[in-house]
Amino acid sequence: MLNDTYVTTDAGTGVVHQAPGFGEDDYRVCTTAGIIKPGDAVVPIDDDGKFTSDVPDYAGVYIKEADNAIMEELKARGRLLSKGTIKHNYPFCWRSQTPLIYRAFDCWFINVTELKSDLIEENTKTNWVP
């Protein structure tokens, strides 16, 4: 069993799953517990929020559209304990008001502060035209 301070009983049941490829807290808890190695989080959804071939039964299906089919499969296999809805806070895009999907992905960053003096110097050599 894993636990962490972000899990509380005032927002939901106090019981959560861990999906290290889909949340900063989940990732931190799972890497700290040695469940996954840093950088090894599985993320079986693409840029459009659809399952990849890593989930063959639902490949190409938008994750929320697969909910009912997944629950039916769990029920058929005798693994669905309960089905219901719990209202809780969920992040939405401030522009489109659509739900956000947290998902890990490869990225890189540039330490601009380290390059600042070079950037300023190079800008003095540039002929800026409005």
Side-chain angles (χ1 to χ4, degrees):
M1 180 170 83
L2 303 174
N3 59 39
D4 197 71
T5 57
Y6 79 93
V7 181
T8 64
T9 56
D10 64 340
T13 63
V15 177
V16 297
H17 70 283
Q18 295 297 309
F22 297 94
E24 181 180 356
D25 288 323
D26 293 14
Y27 180 81
R28 178 180 44 77
V29 169
C30 288
T31 54
T32 300
I35 293 172
I36 63 165
K37 294 177 184 170
D40 283 352
V42 176
V43 184
I45 61 171
D46 64 18
D47 291 344
D48 294 320
K50 296 178 180 179
F51 284 111
T52 65
S53 60
D54 293 324
V55 187
D57 292 344
Y58 304 101
V61 179
Y62 179 68
I63 58 170
K64 295 310 291 175
E65 291 173 0
D67 283 353
N68 287 332
I70 292 170
M71 283 188 272
E72 287 302 317
E73 180 182 339
L74 290 171
K75 184 178 178 181
R77 295 167 68 186
R79 295 185 178 175
L80 181 65
L81 302 176
S82 176
K83 179 180 173 180
T85 302
I86 296 174
K87 286 191 159 208
H88 60 88
N89 289 333
Y90 193 86
F92 282 78
C93 173
W94 65 273
R95 289 183 181 173
S96 65
Q97 300 305 309
T98 55
L100 296 174
I101 300 169
Y102 286 109
R103 180 176 68 93
F105 56 92
D106 290 329
C107 57
W108 50 270
F109 300 90
I110 297 173
N111 185 349
V112 177
T113 304
E114 189 176 292
L115 303 172
K116 182 179 177 181
S117 59
D118 291 337
L119 293 170
I120 291 171
E121 174 61 28
E122 291 302 316
N123 271 328
T124 63
K125 301 174 186 175
T126 303
N127 181 24
W128 294 98
V129 179

